[in-house]
């Protein structure tokens, strides 16, 4: 029997019970829709995270004060720091694969300019910071080693903070009071957008780390040290050397935990993707359960259909249909049902992701692969769950099928 | 001439639970090409059972069945299906048409399972020709539930003829029809028989059996008598006679 005729017969049989066909396909529609939406959202999130990781700068290693256990629970973070300016200098001096180092402090503080108040992130950084993060200035010049040595009261302002404090006016040369200490703005940063964790990276005020330590926070230790390796290939070596150097400097006995945490860029990326992976996994589980339930629905309806159409099967066999023809006829029907369900599901999934991106401003990326895979998968569900009923139909005896009431 | 059908001590036993039903108990029969045979007998005498075996729908419990010289009892299910498709046209007692499918498509059905492929147009042409032989081409698009019993039986006959089989089998083709329509169906059969098709037909009506050339009477699963028909009836004159005797009775539109 020709495939076009088989297909036509299948479509006609499905049309005959429109409502039933639609309800049966619903499981597949929902399953495939969930898969497509899930992959779209997951891919979008991944692309965004990747872009953010890249915006962190290249070959960056972060060293945090305090230790962090493998499970991610950290102890002593931001408390009494263990990293010192001398540590940072030793790293710069003694590890050859390191191209730039910036000691870091971080705090949120009330900032006033004229009668405007705002609460940006205050970062204490070294002059290398802007190179490491590949963060160009729009206006002005960065602070220098001289500013660092003198703990000068100069600051570089982020786009958002500048907007909040000065509106459209140029912030260069203006004075802001951080914790009542006056700082002069020397430069304006270009816009960097959201961070991996979703915060606005442009809502910052960056001062020399020495100024942050002495004039703002009154501390002698650092929150973290940002290190850039000269070469991606050297990253593991540099990371290893950093750890050894700091353990030695901090006089940590072998077998005892580090009092600092070294994080490569990949670790940060992993941390950020872990969350979206959990979400993807959950949605994936829902989708597969839905597809299986949809498949069982198809199997159920096909079994009912075989029983209802026993006489038809008998007639077809009586006029010369082989068992294989009957098998193919019912299998085609199941596959047609699940494939059409799959196609509708793909449309639904694309719609959902588009709607979601519009509502929560979360980018979605629908890949052609996911559409092709989802379609093939729905067809496969039809084959898998349609096979048993089709086989049952093909095993009927013509005489008994004809006698069936 | 070699027989089209040669039955050799054919038995069919049904096992239903504890009871054994000996539906056919040793039938030997030869039917030559061009014959027109009526198989008769009381209800339960095994006529349908025999016809189903001859039609390759069922297998005998024992005995041998040669169709065109081939021993059918040795063939597998697919080979039997091919024989049903090519060599035999079967007209069932209850029409057995696909409902919600047009007359034309019902007639096309056996062609779909042929091994030689045909274009949709060829299918339609051949099916229309088969409907023309039973004078029903004008109802091609009607569904079975829009057709009278006689018309449905004609569709069933057209379906049996569409693959141009040499052998036409019919199980009580007039069982559900009034006498006038029955005679019309006999007219179709006689015409086909004239063209050289061998016909074997089950009937319990002696009047109808007189339209054939040979009557085989069964009883309790065996052949009781096997006689040629002496006073044969012909559909043409019979229809005219029916027309006259009805006289003023309201005329049914010609089938
Ligand atoms: N599938 C079956 N299972 C069990 N017994 C059967 C089956 N089919 C037929 N029989 C029995 O076989 C015998 C012959 O049946 P068959 O249908 O051949 O009779 P028949 O001559 O065609 O009768 P009728 O004129 O009523 O159609 C009957 O006794 C019937 O009960
Ligand atoms: Mg019978």
């Amino acid at each position: 029997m020709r495939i076009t005729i088989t297909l036509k017969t299948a479509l006609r049989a499905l049309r005959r019970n429109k409502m039933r066909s639609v309800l049966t396909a619903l499981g597949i529609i929902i399953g495939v829709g969930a898969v497509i939406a899930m992959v779209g959202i997951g891919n979008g999130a991944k692309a965004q995270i990747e872009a953010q990781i890249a915006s962190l700068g290249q070959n960056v290693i972060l060293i945090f004060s305090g230790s962090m256990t493998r499970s991610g629970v950290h102890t002593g973070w931001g408390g009494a720091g263990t990293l010192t300016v001398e540590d940072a200098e030793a790293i710069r001096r003694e590890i050859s694969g390191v191209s730039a180092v910036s000691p870091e402090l971080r705090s949120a503080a009330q900032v006033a300019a004229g009668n405007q108040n705002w609460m940006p992130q205050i970062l204490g950084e070294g002059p290398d910071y802007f190179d490491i993060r590949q963060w160009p200035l729009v206006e002005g010049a960065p602070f220098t080693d001289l500013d660092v040595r003198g703990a000068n009261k100069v600051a570089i302002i982020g786009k958002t903070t500048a907007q909040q404090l000065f509106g459209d006016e140029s912030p260069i040369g203006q004075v802001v009071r951080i914790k009542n200490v006056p700082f002069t703005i020397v430069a304006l940063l270009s816009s960097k957008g959201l961070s991996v964790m979703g915060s606005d990276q442009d809502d910052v005020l960056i001062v020399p780390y020495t100024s942050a330590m002495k004039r703002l926070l009154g501390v002698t230790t650092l929150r973290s040290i940002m290190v850039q390796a000269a070469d991606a290939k050297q990253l593991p070596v540099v990371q290893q050397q950093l750890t050894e150097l700091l353990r030695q400097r901090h006089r940590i006995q072998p077998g005892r935990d580090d009092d600092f945490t070294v994080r490569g860029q990949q670790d940060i990326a992993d941390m950020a993707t872990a969350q979206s992976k959990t979400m993807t996994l959950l949605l994936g589980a829902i989708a597969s359960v839905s597809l299986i339930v949809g498949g069982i629905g198809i199997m159920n309806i096909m079994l009912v259909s075989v029983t209802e159409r026993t006489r038809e099967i008998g007639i077809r066999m009586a006029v010369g249909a082989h068992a294989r023809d009957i098998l193919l006829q019912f299998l085609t029907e199941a596959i047609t049902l699940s494939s059409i369900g799959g196609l509708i599901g793909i449309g639904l999934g694309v719609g959902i992701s588009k709607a979601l991106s519009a509502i929560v401003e979360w980018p979605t990326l629908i890949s052609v692969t996911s559409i092709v895979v989802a379609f093939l998968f729905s067809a496969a569900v039809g084959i898998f769950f349609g096979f048993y009923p089709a086989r049952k139909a093909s095993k009927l005896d013509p005489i008994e099928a004809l006698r069936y009431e | 001439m070699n027989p089209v059908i040669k039955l050799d001590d054919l038995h069919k036993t049904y096992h239903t639970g504890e009871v054994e039903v000996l539906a056919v108990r040793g039938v030997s029969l030869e039917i030559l090409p061009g014959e027109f045979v009526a198989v008769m007998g009381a209800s339960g005498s095994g006529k349908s059972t025999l016809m189903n075996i001859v039609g390759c729908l069922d297998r005998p419990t024992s005995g041998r069945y040669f169709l065109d010289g081939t021993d059918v009892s040795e063939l597998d299910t697919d080979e039997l299906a091919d024989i049903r498709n090519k060599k035999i046209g079967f007209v069932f007692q209850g029409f057995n048409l696909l409902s919600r499918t047009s007359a034309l498509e019902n007639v096309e059905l056996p062609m779909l399972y042929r091994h030689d492929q045909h274009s949709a147009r060829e299918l339609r042409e051949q099916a229309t020709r088969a409907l023309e032989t039973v004078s029903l081409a004008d109802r091609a698009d009607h569904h079975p539930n829009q057709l009278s019993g006689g018309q449905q039986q004609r569709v069933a006959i057209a379906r049996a003829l569409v693959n141009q089989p040499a052998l036409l089998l019919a199980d009580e083709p007039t069982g559900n029809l009034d006498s006038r329509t029955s005679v019309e169906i006999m007219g179709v059969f006689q015409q086909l028989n004239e063209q050289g098709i061998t016909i074997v037909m089950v009937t319990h009506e002696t009047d109808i059996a007189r339209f054939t050339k040979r009557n085989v009477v069964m009883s309790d699963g065996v052949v009781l008598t096997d006689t040629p028909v002496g006073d044969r009836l012909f559909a043409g004159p019979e229809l005219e006679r029916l027309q006259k005797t009805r006289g003023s009775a309201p005329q049914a539109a010609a089938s």
Side-chain angles (χ1 to χ4, degrees):
Chain A
M1 199 159 154
R2 284 209 320 232
I3 189 70
T4 45
I5 294 171
T6 314
L7 251 170
K8 217 177 96 189
T9 313
L11 279 173
R12 179 191 298 204
L14 293 176
R15 262 207 309 273
R16 203 164 279 169
N17 285 304
K18 268 197 208 84
M19 191 63 182
R20 188 207 263 185
S21 302
V22 169
L23 288 176
T24 308
L26 210 55
I28 301 289
I29 293 174
I30 293 171
V32 169
V35 170
I36 295 289
M38 167 200 87
V39 174
I41 293 166
N43 280 351
K46 211 173 126 210
Q48 199 181 26
I49 286 166
E50 270 162 15
Q52 287 164 349
I53 300 288
S55 84
L56 212 62
Q58 265 179 347
N59 311 334
V60 172
I61 299 169
L62 282 170
I63 310 159
F64 295 98
S65 271
S67 64
M68 187 189 256
T69 57
R70 291 210 184 279
S71 59
V73 180
H74 56 79
T75 50
W77 242 31
T82 54
L83 296 172
T84 62
V85 177
E86 288 72 34
D87 286 336
E89 276 161 7
I91 289 167
R92 194 200 296 274
R93 204 171 48 237
E94 289 177 30
I95 300 174
S96 56
V98 168
S99 61
V101 176
S102 175
E104 293 191 300
L105 290 109
R106 194 162 285 205
S107 162
Q110 191 72 25
V111 173
N115 50 10
Q116 296 293 322
N117 278 294
W118 190 243
M119 186 94 131
Q121 273 275 331
I122 311 290
L123 303 185
E125 298 285 352
D128 282 354
Y129 179 72
F130 308 97
D131 279 345
I132 298 174
R133 296 211 54 194
Q134 295 170 319
W135 199 349
L137 301 173
V138 183
E139 243 185 302
F143 49 71
T144 59
D145 284 332
L146 261 159
D147 292 317
V148 171
R149 238 170 285 147
N152 288 348
K153 292 180 276 187
V154 291
I156 297 177
I157 196 165
K159 263 265 161 69
T160 307
T161 315
Q163 187 69 36
Q164 291 296 336
L165 292 175
F166 306 108
D168 295 330
E169 248 179 274
S170 167
I172 310 296
Q174 306 261 22
V175 173
V176 292
R177 301 180 78 84
I178 310 172
K179 288 187 170 176
N180 260 330
V181 183
F183 278 75
T184 310
I185 307 285
V186 294
L188 172 65
L189 285 161
S190 60
S191 178
K192 201 140 179 124
L194 295 182
S195 77
V196 179
M197 302 307 175
S199 58
D200 181 2
Q201 299 184 85
D202 296 322
D203 193 7
V204 286
L205 207 53
I206 303 175
V207 301
Y209 64 92
T210 44
S211 316
M213 289 166 80
K214 286 182 197 152
R215 303 191 190 278
L216 297 177
L217 303 172
V219 293
T220 53
T221 55
L222 301 169
R223 172 187 174 269
S224 52
I225 301 170
M226 189 178 269
V227 177
Q228 187 174 38
D231 184 349
K233 283 192 213 111
Q234 289 185 334
L235 271 174
V237 181
V238 170
Q239 210 162 326
Q240 175 70 26
Q241 287 173 339
L242 280 175
T243 310
E244 276 166 21
L245 178 67
L246 289 176
R247 281 181 74 91
Q248 186 195 330
R249 286 183 58 85
H250 294 186
R251 298 201 175 77
I252 298 168
Q253 301 296 320
R256 309 206 61 172
D257 282 342
D258 297 344
D259 62 354
F260 56 89
T261 308
V262 178
R263 284 253 180 271
Q265 206 160 3
Q266 196 47 52
D267 300 327
I268 298 165
D270 290 349
M271 238 156 53
T273 43
Q275 204 178 342
S276 79
K277 260 199 194 123
T278 316
M279 174 112 157
T280 308
L281 223 65
L282 193 75
L283 277 166
I286 293 171
S288 4
V289 167
S290 179
L291 277 177
I292 289 170
V293 171
I296 293 170
I298 288 182
M299 179 139 113
N300 185 29
I301 286 302
M302 290 311 295
L303 282 173
V304 170
S305 178
V306 167
T307 311
E308 281 176 352
R309 285 152 67 192
T310 302
R311 261 181 99 80
E312 176 192 328
I313 295 164
I315 293 170
R316 286 178 184 275
M317 286 180 157
V319 300
H322 287 198
R324 196 173 143 270
D325 294 320
I326 302 294
L327 182 95
L328 274 180
Q329 183 190 334
F330 280 88
L331 203 53
T332 306
E333 222 174 288
I335 296 169
T336 307
L337 192 58
S338 68
S339 305
I340 291 177
L343 284 179
I344 299 174
I346 287 169
L348 186 78
V350 171
I352 288 176
S353 358
K354 288 266 185 294
L356 256 169
S357 346
I359 294 166
V360 301
E361 289 174 21
W362 186 312
T364 54
L365 264 180
I366 307 284
S367 70
V368 177
T369 327
S370 69
I371 288 179
V372 171
V373 168
F375 181 74
L376 292 180
F377 201 80
S378 59
V381 164
I383 295 174
F384 186 80
F385 289 98
F387 189 78
Y388 173 70
R391 195 178 153 74
K392 205 178 154 198
S394 74
K395 291 275 166 194
L396 287 173
D397 180 69
I399 274 289
E400 269 158 37
L402 279 173
R403 218 175 264 143
Y404 186 85
E405 287 306 318
Chain B
M1 228 184 324
N2 290 322
V4 190
I5 295 168
K6 183 171 186 292
L7 306 179
D8 187 5
D9 194 26
L10 214 65
H11 284 77
K12 180 73 185 182
T13 311
Y14 289 111
H15 300 272
T16 24
E18 297 286 290
V19 243
E20 270 197 356
V21 183
L22 302 164
V24 174
R25 304 182 298 149
V27 169
S28 298
L29 203 62
E30 279 190 18
I31 294 170
L32 298 177
E35 282 205 86
F36 187 1
V37 183
V39 177
M40 300 174 62
S43 184
S45 55
K47 307 182 296 288
S48 293
T49 306
L50 188 69
M51 281 300 265
N52 289 340
I53 293 171
V54 172
C56 292
L57 285 160
D58 212 350
R59 291 168 185 278
T61 314
S62 70
R64 307 229 283 171
Y65 166 25
F66 297 90
L67 179 73
D68 272 340
T70 354
D71 189 347
V72 170
S73 4
E74 308 210 311
L75 301 181
D76 68 22
T77 24
D78 282 351
E79 288 167 324
L80 287 180
D82 288 341
I83 286 185
R84 292 197 295 269
N85 187 244
K86 276 190 235 132
K87 294 197 171 173
I88 301 173
F90 205 108
V91 179
F92 301 93
Q93 181 165 0
F95 313 138
N96 272 333
L97 298 174
L98 293 183
S99 56
R100 286 188 279 185
T101 305
S102 73
L104 191 75
E105 283 170 307
N106 263 292
V107 176
E108 282 177 1
L109 197 64
M111 284 192 282
L112 304 185
Y113 299 108
R114 271 163 76 151
H115 289 292
D116 47 341
Q117 304 274 292
H118 291 266
S119 72
R121 221 188 69 229
E122 283 173 314
L123 292 185
R124 201 167 324 120
E125 278 171 7
Q126 285 198 39
T128 309
R129 228 171 296 138
L131 277 175
E132 274 163 7
T133 22
V134 294
S135 338
L136 211 65
D138 55 329
R139 299 296 168 95
D141 294 330
H142 287 57
H143 287 198
N145 60 3
Q146 299 165 324
L147 295 172
S148 74
Q151 288 168 334
Q152 289 184 51
Q153 193 62 292
R154 282 157 188 261
V155 175
I157 294 168
R159 182 179 65 190
L161 294 174
V162 78
N163 277 346
Q164 288 149 343
L167 177 61
L168 183 68
L169 304 176
D171 192 354
E172 308 223 23
T174 60
N176 300 343
L177 306 178
D178 63 66
S179 53
R180 188 197 152 82
T181 316
S182 299
V183 174
E184 280 171 7
I185 295 291
M186 283 306 106
V188 173
F189 277 22
Q190 283 183 332
Q191 206 183 324
L192 290 169
N193 186 237
E194 293 286 293
Q195 293 163 17
I197 297 178
T198 313
I199 302 177
V200 182
M201 167 186 104
V202 169
T203 182
H204 59 262
E205 295 163 89
T206 31
D207 298 354
I208 294 298
R210 280 176 63 200
F211 285 91
T212 67
K213 296 175 178 169
R214 173 182 168 190
N215 289 357
V216 172
V217 179
M218 286 184 70
S219 171
D220 263 337
V222 292
V223 174
L224 203 65
T225 61
D226 185 349
T227 48
V229 177
D231 49 347
R232 201 173 171 215
L233 293 177
F234 290 92
E238 265 323 284
L239 279 175
E240 269 171 39
R241 196 177 58 77
L242 275 174
Q243 199 107 348
K244 272 187 210 133
T245 51
R246 287 238 179 129
S248 58
Q251 289 281 311
S255 62

